[in-house]
Amino acid sequence: MGRFSDVLLVSDFDRTLTRNDSTIPQQNLDAIAYFMKEGGIFTIATGRSLPLFRQRAEGLPLKVPVLLYNGAACYDFGAQKLEFCIAMPDELPQIMGQIMRRYPELRAEVQCLDAHYCFGRDALRDEYLAKSGVTVHYRPWSELPKPWVKASFYAPFHKAGHCLPWEATEEEDRLFSQLCQWVNERYKGAYTATQALPRMMELERYGVSKGTGARKLANTLGRSILVCAGDAPNDLTMLEEAEYGYVPADCDTKIR
């Protein structure tokens, strides 16, 4: 029995465990190693899809399943096994169509278990996904495999990587805040819109969140103390759900 034998520590990945350049500081890895040596269980909760996180899972000390798609799926990378997946409703094409007509300048993606299925060309976004090992398809809805796990909307990329918080303009911030508000009001009780980064919006089935996923995992693993760390609005549910929640000093100002 170690001092952390009752604890499940769930960390967001991008800009919480990692630096802004996506590298992981050695001191973070050392701290995780000490935590696990003292009986703690460590895992990740990320908005990334299974294809988008697969490369990053390599080399991480993951002994238990990881929460993906903002908690919509749980995957054990050691056993290569999907623990659970909460699919989007069948009316997703109609809902996304309404959003796409309202915001035609945005690229839309449906994130599945095998690949990302895209509506609206963006060469830089495609380049980023290719570098990350993600297969990209442009297909009609009738050819999209189920389950549909998460949907995302992006402003055109300026580089082959995500925009960091200080790189977005006030106008872009306002547009996506308004988009999230419109979705949450119009589809209340059916869908939830959140932001992990500026210039993007993530769409989940109502009731799906990192918070519900983290608590479910803690109960499954028999851990009575849930500790969570995150930096962005899509982390807020697990910070509120946890017995102890932490944010980096440079977190998104919306959750301070």
Side-chain angles (χ1 to χ4, degrees):
M1 296 288 289
R3 61 185 301 191
F4 301 122
S5 58
D6 292 329
V7 180
L8 170 65
L9 170 59
V10 181
S11 174
D12 171 51
F13 185 70
D14 294 289
R15 293 163 308 284
T16 300
L17 184 63
T18 76
R19 300 183 181 94
N20 288 323
D21 65 1
S22 293
T23 60
I24 302 175
Q26 184 60 45
Q27 65 190 43
N28 286 359
L29 296 174
D30 292 344
I32 292 168
Y34 170 73
F35 171 75
M36 294 175 69
K37 182 179 179 182
E38 288 291 327
I41 297 178
F42 167 80
T43 194
I44 295 290
T46 177
R48 288 178 178 239
S49 66
L50 174 57
L52 189 54
F53 193 67
R54 193 177 291 278
Q55 284 186 356
R56 301 312 310 264
E58 298 174 2
L60 285 175
L62 298 171
K63 307 297 183 183
V64 299
V66 170
L67 294 167
L68 303 164
Y69 306 89
N70 286 330
C74 185
Y75 190 82
D76 187 330
F77 283 93
Q80 296 291 300
K81 178 186 176 185
L82 183 67
E83 298 293 338
F84 69 77
C85 178
I86 304 170
M88 287 289 225
D90 288 343
E91 66 268 19
L92 180 63
Q94 290 75 34
I95 304 305
M96 287 189 66
Q98 292 175 16
I99 299 172
M100 289 159 67
R101 287 189 292 274
R102 185 178 177 91
Y103 297 91
E105 71 276 20
L106 302 183
R107 152 142 157 179
E109 291 182 12
V110 178
Q111 298 180 5
C112 299
L113 295 174
D114 66 327
H116 289 199
Y117 295 81
C118 307
F119 303 88
R121 298 278 176 173
D122 187 336
L124 290 174
R125 170 72 178 166
D126 287 349
E127 181 182 344
Y128 163 73
L129 291 175
K131 288 179 179 178
S132 302
V134 179
T135 301
V136 174
H137 295 295
Y138 292 87
R139 294 180 183 174
W141 273 100
S142 59
E143 296 181 13
L144 266 61
K146 290 185 177 180
W148 306 325
V149 190
K150 192 183 80 171
S152 298
F153 291 82
Y154 301 89
F157 272 37
H158 298 318
K159 58 184 178 182
H162 281 283
C163 173
L164 295 172
W166 56 86
E167 296 174 332
T169 66
E170 289 185 11
E171 182 180 1
E172 289 169 334
D173 251 353
R174 186 163 51 249
L175 184 150
F176 280 91
S177 293
Q178 291 171 349
L179 172 56
C180 286
Q181 182 178 357
W182 181 77
V183 169
N184 287 328
E185 291 175 355
R186 186 177 180 88
Y187 305 111
K188 186 177 181 179
Y191 295 89
T192 303
T194 58
Q195 283 185 273
L197 282 167
R199 307 181 74 247
M200 68 171 290
M201 184 269 282
E202 297 175 322
L203 186 68
E204 289 104 27
R205 186 171 191 147
Y206 182 76
V208 167
S209 70
K210 288 186 178 183
T212 55
R215 181 59 70 186
K216 180 177 180 178
L217 191 56
N219 292 339
T220 299
L221 296 171
R223 294 290 160 133
S224 60
I225 300 174
L226 176 62
V227 179
C228 295
D231 75 308
N234 68 327
D235 299 314
L236 187 56
T237 57
M238 70 174 181
L239 295 173
E240 293 174 335
E241 179 66 31
E243 275 69 47
Y244 301 93
Y246 297 91
V247 296
D250 61 349
C251 69
D252 189 309
T253 56
K254 295 184 183 71
I255 66 168
R256 285 182 185 171

